[in-house]
Amino acid sequence: AIAGFAMALALCTCSSTTFASASTVKPTVNKGLCKLVGPSVVATALNASMNYPTTLDQRSTTVCAYRAKQESGTGVIIRYETKSSNANFAKTKTTFRHRGQKLAAITGLGDEAYYFSETAGEVTVTTVVLRSGSLQLLVTGTATLNPIGSLAQYALTQFDSKATSAPTTTLPEQSPG
């Protein structure tokens, strides 16, 4: 089970165009984007009690890793890449295909989306990748498509609501005079 999750973590990082040195990736404690999906949401989807996520930030990419409180090997990774493009999305897709993944399209999730699953023993690891505007979101975890797809939809909805509710600064109108 843990090997499957480790494999998912390795797959999660493949779409980065540059690999960071250890000094540029900084683990933090549940900051920013990782607050969008609380451990209780992940726990409900996976039917397992979850810890708060470990966060890794690197420029425009944030990875949130959720692990079960019990040593069950259950976990989820949510990866937000906020400055993505159609070309980056296509490159990620090609990379997964080259690694032998059988990709299937998902309709109605973001601008475009796909998923793949692998089963090792009794553990299924599913990955959903979607693009919505300049956001590329990858959600991978030890579950089938329905719970992982639900988490991807929830994460996208939360991200969109945060982006649209961000405070804006407006200049006061000048009165003629």
Side-chain angles (χ1 to χ4, degrees), residues 86 89-90 92-93 96-97 102-116 127-133 135-139 145 148-150 152-153 156:
N86 291 350
F89 186 80
T92 301
K93 199 174 196 179
F96 283 127
R97 278 199 181 113
K102 292 183 171 97
L103 310 181
I106 300 174
T107 56
L109 184 61
D111 297 334
E112 54 185 323
Y114 61 90
Y115 80 98
F116 58 91
T127 300
V128 171
V129 184
L130 69 91
R131 184 187 62 77
S132 180
L135 172 70
Q136 181 171 295
L137 181 68
L138 180 144
V139 180
L145 177 59
I148 299 302
S150 294
Q153 179 66 58
L156 177 60

Side-chain angles (χ1 to χ4, degrees), residues 27-94:
T28 58
V29 181
N30 197 27
K31 291 187 177 176
L33 292 173
C34 292
K35 289 183 178 180
L36 295 178
V37 179
S40 63
V41 173
V42 177
T44 300
L46 272 62
N47 197 26
S49 183
M50 304 299 287
N51 288 309
Y52 280 93
T54 302
T55 305
L56 298 173
D57 289 315
Q58 178 197 4
R59 295 181 205 81
S60 63
T61 301
T62 299
V63 177
C64 313
Y66 300 79
R67 288 191 172 73
K69 288 184 179 181
Q70 308 301 318
E71 291 294 324
S72 63
T74 301
V76 167
I77 296 167
I78 301 176
R79 181 180 186 274
Y80 300 87
E81 186 174 338
T82 58
K83 293 182 181 173
S84 190
S85 65
N86 291 350
N88 286 356
F89 186 80
K91 184 177 178 181
T92 301
K93 199 174 196 179
T94 300

